[in-house]
Amino acid sequence: RAAEWQLDQPAWSGRLRITAKGSTAFIKLEDKTSGELFAQAPVEQFPGIAVEGVTDSSRYFVIRIEDGNGRRAFIGVGFVDRGDAFDFNVALQDHFKWVRQQSELARQAQDLEQGPKLDLGFKEGQTIKLNIANMKKKEGGTGSTRPRPAGPGGLSLLPPPPGGKSGSGECPAPLSMPTQLPGTPITDSLLSWPQPTAAPAADVWGDFAKASG
């Protein structure tokens, strides 16, 4: 119980730091001016006997200090501010949470190494069979229509009509017909191309002249 301690006359006051080396955390009591080490308590497990909270306050703890020669002692440590006591607890919890995670990862890696390894290589004379019938069917359905050739600029051009000649893609301009008034026959003077020569009148009406009746 912290109430049994002489809290108004502490035997020592300074700063407290928590460091870690491997899986062991070290609570170090240092001079707040010079940083000289007063005592330290190695913690290998938390919660554990190395650090224990008192029953009547959340700001006071009992820690087990060691001098490195095998001598140990239990002393009481308290914080003036409750937030510092909270940070003290959280720092120890975070460290040993990390220790447990590292131990779990190492155990999983060891299980993978000792477990049976899968041999995915082909044995001598071993073959595999692939069913690609569905693939051919799909290719036949989609490949029935032939793609049209793409013209300049990625546009698709229609094929030329039967009997036509593929040119440069330009359509010839339609021939301009001369203007004709109603009732006026088209003569050679209006057209620029020669007209077929008409047969003589005798040849045209010869069959009717010879016909009887």
Side-chain angles (χ1 to χ4, degrees):
R1 291 176 57 88
E4 301 174 357
W5 303 345
Q6 298 177 358
L7 300 179
D8 55 343
Q9 296 178 355
W12 179 87
S13 63
R15 71 181 183 188
L16 183 147
R17 280 197 312 135
I18 297 179
T19 62
K21 183 177 181 180
S23 61
T24 303
F26 293 90
I27 301 174
K28 296 186 177 183
L29 305 178
E30 301 172 344
D31 185 273
K32 58 184 176 181
T33 303
S34 63
E36 182 182 357
L37 181 65
F38 173 75
Q40 71 175 0
V43 184
E44 297 178 354
Q45 184 180 357
F46 182 80
I49 194 174
V51 181
E52 293 182 283
V54 298
T55 58
D56 58 345
S57 177
S58 62
R59 296 187 291 118
Y60 293 88
F61 304 87
V62 175
I63 64 174
R64 184 181 64 183
I65 60 174
E66 298 182 8
D67 63 354
N69 297 323
R71 293 185 300 178
R72 299 175 177 177
F74 291 91
I75 64 173
V77 175
F79 297 91
V80 177
D81 185 74
R82 195 177 302 274
D84 293 337
F86 177 80
D87 292 342
F88 173 77
N89 261 315
V90 171
L92 291 173
Q93 291 173 2
D94 287 347
H95 170 73
F96 286 99
K97 181 180 179 181
W98 173 82
V99 171
R100 288 191 297 270
Q101 290 176 348
Q102 296 299 314
S103 177
E104 181 67 18
L105 291 175
R107 185 185 64 80
Q108 293 178 0
Q110 185 177 5
D111 292 343
L112 290 176
E113 292 178 358
Q114 295 178 356
K117 297 182 179 180
L118 296 177
D119 186 8
L120 301 179
F122 285 99
K123 304 298 187 295
E124 184 177 358
Q126 184 179 5
T127 60
I128 60 174
K129 183 178 180 180
L130 299 178
N131 185 7
I132 58 175
N134 294 333
M135 187 182 302
K136 289 183 177 180
K137 185 176 181 181
K138 184 181 294 185
E139 290 179 355
T142 57
S144 59
T145 58
R146 296 178 58 187
R148 295 178 178 178
L155 299 178
S156 179
L157 300 178
L158 294 175
K165 297 182 180 180
S166 59
S168 60
E170 298 179 356
C171 297
L175 295 176
S176 59
M177 295 296 295
T179 305
Q180 178 185 0
L181 297 176
T184 304
I186 299 177
T187 60
D188 292 344
S189 61
L190 297 177
L191 297 178
S192 59
W193 58 81
Q195 298 295 322
T197 305
D203 295 336
V204 176
W205 300 103
D207 295 337
F208 291 96
K210 296 178 183 179
S212 60

